[in-house]
Amino acid sequence: MEKDDVKEPFLLRATAAEQAGGSALSLSSSAALTVGDGDIPPISGFGDFVREFNVESKKLWYLAGPAIFTSLSQYSLGAVTQVFAGHISTLSLAAVSVENSVIAGFSFGIMLGMGSALETLCGQAFGAGKLSMLGVYLQRSWVILNATAIILCLLYVFAAQILAFIGQTRSISQAAGLFSIYMIPQLFAYALNFPTAKFLQAQSKIMAMAVISAAALVMHALFSWVTVAKLRWGMEGLAAVLNGSWWFIVVAQIAYILGGTCGESWSGFSWEAFHNLWSFVRLSLASAVMLCLEVWYFMALVLFAGYLKNAEVSVAALSICMNILGWAAMVAIGTNAAVSVRVSNELGANHPRTAKFSLAVAVISSTMIGIAISAVLLIFRERYPSFFTDDEAVRDMVRELTPMLALSIVINNVQPVLSGVAVGAGWQAVVAYINIGSYYFLGIPLGSVLGYKLDFGVTGIWSGMLMGTVIQSMIITWMICKTNWDKEATMAEERIRKWEGGSDSEDNTLN
């Protein structure tokens, strides 16, 4: 997105003017954050609701459309790799699925979570017109995530031993462990990509990300086909293509930023990025814990399937379902990114009513999309499994699991949107505790009882874990309904002021 593409309805007038003309803000901080200035009026009837819904929908989908496309494209990189792995052998599909779900999924959750700290900081700073801080936040996040990636390399190197220790079959553990070593370059691509993506999202520069991701997906599909069908390089070739695709995205996004498209928000590399890293680490860790617990939760389904009878078929079938669930979840995650930007921008601008209303629009929109996707899957239940595998036993199990998959899509299309509000408002630490209770103290034990004790298999494990998601969503919904949004806007102003100051007292503003 070019600078003159940022439309005034989506941002503060002062910020829009600065984006278009590059001039410095002349407003003082207090003037820029006048309470209620530019906020929507109170909604007193159905007519008011419809009017504001239409206005907010345009703002939301201006961001959500490209964000959903970007999420789908990037997720499809791993999904396409799994599809081609399924046409190598059932063991290859199981190995790639376990690596994607357990090893890469674990790292993905940490990196995405830590990078999501920028959604709160960059989003609220951008809404308040503090553009100069965005580049500093980005560089701090790069430093922290690359240091984390170095530590996580141990997980990739010893993946085979770890998978065997937690109960995976010998054949799957060895194949997945070898594939994990091949995928180490992807880990460092994550470390650069997620902060960069949040930096661009906060400024509504999502169209550029969508174009880059689309180009990466097209090249990835083409090279994966050549690697498997023509060159027959197997999993080694798939790993090389997947690593290359992620690094293409990273290099292209950073080149876009360095090319001068971000105005005052990127003024070059600065030693300030190394100042007060511990405070930044704390917020990054809070974000990581919150999102990791969510990302790992359903990734654990594939792991648990490895303990069932006929493990290779169970893992392969469930990985296909998780693949489809992941595709559908990308719609909600794209909406998550959009609503996070909307909430953080509006809280930073001290528009509490707009921030709250943007959530309602996002939840309604995401739920309707989830219902539509589920209906399509149920209609084509007998046909779509053949796209993923040639194994008839795996196809039959996928067909059997389709109703559960459809229900999960509807429920999971709401949960990421609620999490996006939590990130935009800076509630990461609180939601982390909620996730621990609902997912790991309720969902997983319940799923284990249904799946193993009562012998309901994959369906039982999935049902129990889905109940954990329902409880988590209900709790966050209750929190949102009870929230004083005027107070949240005031807290956002204080957070911006203290983080801009760079003092150690920032530790008190993380939550």
Side-chain angles (χ1 to χ4, degrees), residues 438-463:
S438 56
Y439 290 164
Y440 297 91
F441 288 169
L442 174 63
I444 287 180
L446 180 59
S448 299
V449 170
L450 293 174
Y452 301 124
K453 271 294 191 188
L454 301 182
D455 203 25
F456 287 117
V458 174
T459 303
I461 297 172
W462 199 341
S463 299

Side-chain angles (χ1 to χ4, degrees), residues 165-188:
F165 177 76
I166 59 180
Q168 287 295 309
T169 65
R170 179 181 176 84
S171 58
I172 292 177
S173 297
Q174 290 181 342
L178 182 60
F179 191 72
S180 296
I181 293 175
Y182 295 152
M183 293 310 302
I184 288 177
Q186 182 191 52
L187 175 61
F188 289 90

Side-chain angles (χ1 to χ4, degrees), residues 194-240:
F194 293 127
T196 305
K198 304 308 179 184
F199 171 84
L200 292 171
Q201 285 175 8
Q203 303 169 74
S204 302
K205 294 183 179 296
I206 300 181
M207 188 61 70
M209 296 169 56
V211 172
I212 292 169
S213 298
L217 179 58
V218 171
M219 291 189 295
H220 181 74
L222 175 61
F223 288 134
S224 295
W225 175 76
V226 170
T227 297
V228 173
K230 299 299 181 181
L231 301 178
R232 300 191 181 280
W233 284 354
M235 291 198 301
E236 295 87 347
L238 287 178

Side-chain angles (χ1 to χ4, degrees), residues 330-401:
M330 290 305 106
V331 176
I333 289 174
T335 310
N336 167 304
V339 75
S340 179
V341 171
R342 291 290 302 134
V343 169
S344 59
N345 281 181
E346 296 298 344
L347 288 177
N350 210 9
H351 297 161
R353 286 192 297 272
T354 305
K356 183 178 181 179
F357 192 73
S358 65
L359 164 66
V361 174
V363 169
I364 293 172
S365 301
S366 189
T367 301
M368 297 305 296
I369 293 172
I371 292 173
I373 295 173
S374 297
V376 170
L377 282 175
L378 291 172
I379 291 171
F380 295 99
R381 176 180 180 178
E382 298 298 323
R383 299 181 183 178
Y384 77 83
S386 61
F387 178 73
F388 294 90
T389 182
D390 298 324
D391 190 319
E392 188 59 34
V394 176
R395 293 179 187 176
D396 288 340
M397 185 171 286
V398 172
R399 295 185 187 106
E400 181 183 337
L401 292 173

Side-chain angles (χ1 to χ4, degrees), residues 12 25 29-30 32-33 119-134 137 140 283 343-351 424-425 488-503 505-506 508-510:
L12 294 175
L25 284 172
S29 176
S30 60
L33 295 174
E119 288 192 46
T120 303
L121 298 175
C122 286
Q124 293 183 0
F126 189 73
K130 305 292 185 180
L131 300 187
S132 61
M133 293 304 299
L134 272 66
Y137 293 155
R140 286 179 184 170
L283 181 57
V343 169
S344 59
N345 281 181
E346 296 298 344
L347 288 177
N350 210 9
H351 297 161
E488 289 295 323
T490 302
M491 291 173 63
E493 180 179 3
E494 181 67 13
R495 182 181 295 114
I496 293 166
R497 184 185 65 78
K498 289 188 175 182
W499 273 92
E500 184 181 27
S503 66
S505 61
E506 291 167 4
N508 297 324
T509 70
L510 300 181

